[in-house]
Amino acid sequence: MHLAYPAVLSALLFCTGLYGVLARRNAILVLMSVELMLNAVNLNLVAFDVWLSRAAEETLHSGQALTLFTIAIAAAEIGIGLAIVLAVHRNRGTSDIDKLRDTAEGHGPDDPGDPAAPHGPGTDTPATGTAAEKAEATA
Protein backbone atom coordinates (compact mmCIF):
# COMPACT_ATOMS: atom_id res chain seq x y z
CA MET A 1 0.00 0.00 0.00
CA HIS A 2 1.21 3.47 -0.83
CA LEU A 3 1.99 6.01 1.87
CA ALA A 4 -0.21 8.61 0.18
CA TYR A 5 -3.52 6.96 1.19
CA PRO A 6 -3.09 7.10 4.97
CA ALA A 7 -1.36 10.49 4.71
CA VAL A 8 -4.31 11.99 2.82
CA LEU A 9 -6.80 10.41 5.22
CA SER A 10 -4.79 11.74 8.16
CA ALA A 11 -4.73 15.23 6.65
CA LEU A 12 -8.50 15.13 6.13
CA LEU A 13 -9.09 13.97 9.71
CA PHE A 14 -6.77 16.65 11.07
CA CYS A 15 -8.47 19.40 9.03
CA THR A 16 -11.88 18.21 10.20
CA GLY A 17 -10.70 18.31 13.81
CA LEU A 18 -9.18 21.76 13.32
CA TYR A 19 -12.44 23.04 11.89
CA GLY A 20 -14.28 21.56 14.87
CA VAL A 21 -11.96 23.29 17.34
CA LEU A 22 -12.26 26.65 15.62
CA ALA A 23 -15.97 26.62 14.77
CA ARG A 24 -17.67 24.85 17.67
CA ARG A 25 -18.94 26.62 20.76
CA ASN A 26 -19.72 23.57 22.90
CA ALA A 27 -16.78 22.48 25.06
CA ILE A 28 -17.52 18.78 24.65
CA LEU A 29 -17.50 19.06 20.85
CA VAL A 30 -14.19 20.93 21.05
CA LEU A 31 -12.73 18.08 23.11
CA MET A 32 -14.01 15.58 20.55
CA SER A 33 -12.37 17.59 17.78
CA VAL A 34 -9.06 17.58 19.66
CA GLU A 35 -9.35 13.79 19.90
CA LEU A 36 -9.95 13.63 16.16
CA MET A 37 -6.77 15.61 15.59
CA LEU A 38 -4.82 13.29 17.89
CA ASN A 39 -6.15 10.25 16.02
CA ALA A 40 -4.98 11.81 12.75
CA VAL A 41 -1.49 12.16 14.22
CA ASN A 42 -1.62 8.54 15.45
CA LEU A 43 -2.58 7.34 11.97
CA ASN A 44 0.34 9.25 10.53
CA LEU A 45 2.76 7.80 13.09
CA VAL A 46 1.70 4.22 12.37
CA ALA A 47 1.69 4.72 8.58
CA PHE A 48 5.19 6.17 8.55
CA ASP A 49 6.41 3.48 10.93
CA VAL A 50 5.16 0.73 8.61
CA TRP A 51 6.61 2.53 5.59
CA LEU A 52 10.01 2.99 7.22
CA SER A 53 10.12 -0.57 8.58
CA ARG A 54 9.85 -1.91 5.03
CA ALA A 55 12.84 0.20 4.00
CA ALA A 56 15.02 -0.61 7.03
CA GLU A 57 16.38 -4.00 7.99
CA GLU A 58 15.70 -3.50 11.70
CA THR A 59 12.14 -2.94 12.78
CA LEU A 60 11.95 -0.94 16.00
CA HIS A 61 8.29 0.04 15.66
CA SER A 62 8.98 3.29 17.45
CA GLY A 63 6.04 4.99 15.70
CA GLN A 64 3.64 2.41 17.10
CA ALA A 65 5.11 2.75 20.59
CA LEU A 66 4.75 6.52 20.41
CA THR A 67 1.17 6.02 19.28
CA LEU A 68 0.44 3.98 22.41
CA PHE A 69 1.83 6.79 24.58
CA THR A 70 -0.28 9.31 22.67
CA ILE A 71 -3.42 7.23 23.21
CA ALA A 72 -2.70 7.02 26.95
CA ILE A 73 -2.15 10.78 27.19
CA ALA A 74 -5.30 11.44 25.14
CA ALA A 75 -7.36 9.23 27.46
CA ALA A 76 -6.08 11.13 30.50
CA GLU A 77 -6.72 14.44 28.77
CA ILE A 78 -10.31 13.49 27.96
CA GLY A 79 -10.93 12.32 31.52
CA ILE A 80 -9.64 15.54 33.04
CA GLY A 81 -11.26 17.68 30.34
CA LEU A 82 -14.69 16.11 30.85
CA ALA A 83 -14.37 16.52 34.62
CA ILE A 84 -13.60 20.22 34.16
CA VAL A 85 -16.46 20.68 31.69
CA LEU A 86 -18.92 18.96 34.04
CA ALA A 87 -17.78 21.05 37.01
CA VAL A 88 -18.10 24.27 35.00
CA HIS A 89 -21.51 23.19 33.70
CA ARG A 90 -22.70 22.58 37.26
CA ASN A 91 -21.50 25.99 38.43
CA ARG A 92 -22.36 28.13 35.41
CA GLY A 93 -25.24 26.19 33.86
CA THR A 94 -23.71 26.16 30.39
CA SER A 95 -20.83 24.66 28.47
CA ASP A 96 -20.79 27.41 25.82
CA ILE A 97 -17.19 28.51 25.36
CA ASP A 98 -18.07 32.12 24.52
CA LYS A 99 -20.04 32.54 27.74
CA LEU A 100 -17.25 30.94 29.74
CA ARG A 101 -14.74 33.31 28.15
CA ASP A 102 -16.90 36.27 29.23
CA THR A 103 -16.94 35.09 32.84
CA ALA A 104 -13.15 34.82 32.86
CA GLU A 105 -12.76 38.48 31.88
CA GLY A 106 -14.22 39.75 35.14
CA HIS A 107 -17.82 40.68 34.39
CA GLY A 108 -18.85 40.20 38.00
CA PRO A 109 -20.63 42.37 40.57
CA ASP A 110 -17.34 44.06 41.56
CA ASP A 111 -16.64 45.15 37.99
CA PRO A 112 -16.58 48.98 37.72
CA GLY A 113 -18.35 48.80 34.36
CA ASP A 114 -21.30 46.99 35.91
CA PRO A 115 -24.37 49.28 36.12
CA ALA A 116 -25.54 47.52 39.31
CA ALA A 117 -22.26 48.28 41.10
CA PRO A 118 -22.26 51.30 43.41
CA HIS A 119 -20.58 54.40 42.03
CA GLY A 120 -19.29 56.58 44.83
CA PRO A 121 -16.60 59.24 44.98
CA GLY A 122 -13.84 56.65 45.25
CA THR A 123 -14.99 54.41 42.39
CA ASP A 124 -14.38 54.75 38.67
CA THR A 125 -17.28 55.59 36.42
CA PRO A 126 -17.78 53.60 33.21
CA ALA A 127 -16.62 56.59 31.16
CA THR A 128 -13.26 56.89 32.93
CA GLY A 129 -10.72 54.65 34.57
CA THR A 130 -10.48 50.92 34.10
CA ALA A 131 -13.75 50.53 32.16
CA ALA A 132 -12.50 52.91 29.47
CA GLU A 133 -9.19 51.07 29.36
CA LYS A 134 -11.02 47.74 28.89
CA ALA A 135 -13.08 49.26 26.08
CA GLU A 136 -9.91 50.43 24.34
CA ALA A 137 -8.25 47.04 24.83
CA THR A 138 -11.14 45.15 23.28
CA ALA A 139 -11.52 47.51 20.31
Side-chain angles (χ1 to χ4, degrees), residues 6 9 23 42 64 68 78 94 99 115 117 130-132:
L9 179 62
N42 288 339
Q64 293 177 15
L68 289 175
I78 279 297
T94 184
K99 291 181 183 175
T130 57

Side-chain angles (χ1 to χ4, degrees), residues 84-109:
I84 290 171
V85 168
L86 287 174
V88 167
H89 183 67
R90 269 191 211 139
N91 289 335
R92 303 278 188 224
T94 184
S95 61
D96 189 9
I97 293 176
D98 290 335
K99 291 181 183 175
L100 297 178
R101 188 177 307 134
D102 289 341
T103 59
E105 292 175 357
H107 295 293

Side-chain angles (χ1 to χ4, degrees), residues 27-47:
I28 295 175
L29 292 177
V30 170
L31 286 174
M32 288 174 58
S33 298
V34 169
E35 286 296 316
L36 194 63
M37 292 168 63
L38 285 172
N39 286 332
V41 170
N42 288 339
L43 178 64
N44 238 354
L45 283 170
V46 171

Side-chain angles (χ1 to χ4, degrees), residues 1-137:
M1 178 167 62
H2 295 287
L3 183 62
Y5 298 129
V8 168
L9 179 62
S10 175
L12 289 174
L13 284 174
F14 191 85
C15 289
T16 305
L18 186 65
Y19 173 74
V21 167
L22 295 176
R24 300 292 177 193
R25 297 182 192 271
N26 191 351
I28 295 175
L29 292 177
V30 170
L31 286 174
M32 288 174 58
S33 298
V34 169
E35 286 296 316
L36 194 63
M37 292 168 63
L38 285 172
N39 286 332
V41 170
N42 288 339
L43 178 64
N44 238 354
L45 283 170
V46 171
F48 275 98
D49 182 51
V50 168
W51 182 65
L52 288 175
S53 68
R54 287 183 184 170
E57 293 177 5
E58 299 176 4
T59 56
L60 294 176
H61 299 295
S62 58
Q64 293 177 15
L66 189 58
T67 298
L68 289 175
F69 285 119
T70 307
I71 289 170
I73 290 172
E77 175 251 338
I78 279 297
I80 292 171
L82 282 176
I84 290 171
V85 168
L86 287 174
V88 167
H89 183 67
R90 269 191 211 139
N91 289 335
R92 303 278 188 224
T94 184
S95 61
D96 189 9
I97 293 176
D98 290 335
K99 291 181 183 175
L100 297 178
R101 188 177 307 134
D102 289 341
T103 59
E105 292 175 357
H107 295 293
D110 297 333
D111 189 20
D114 190 13
H119 295 290
T123 60
D124 293 334
T125 61
T128 61
T130 57
E133 292 172 1
K134 284 184 182 178
E136 288 178 5

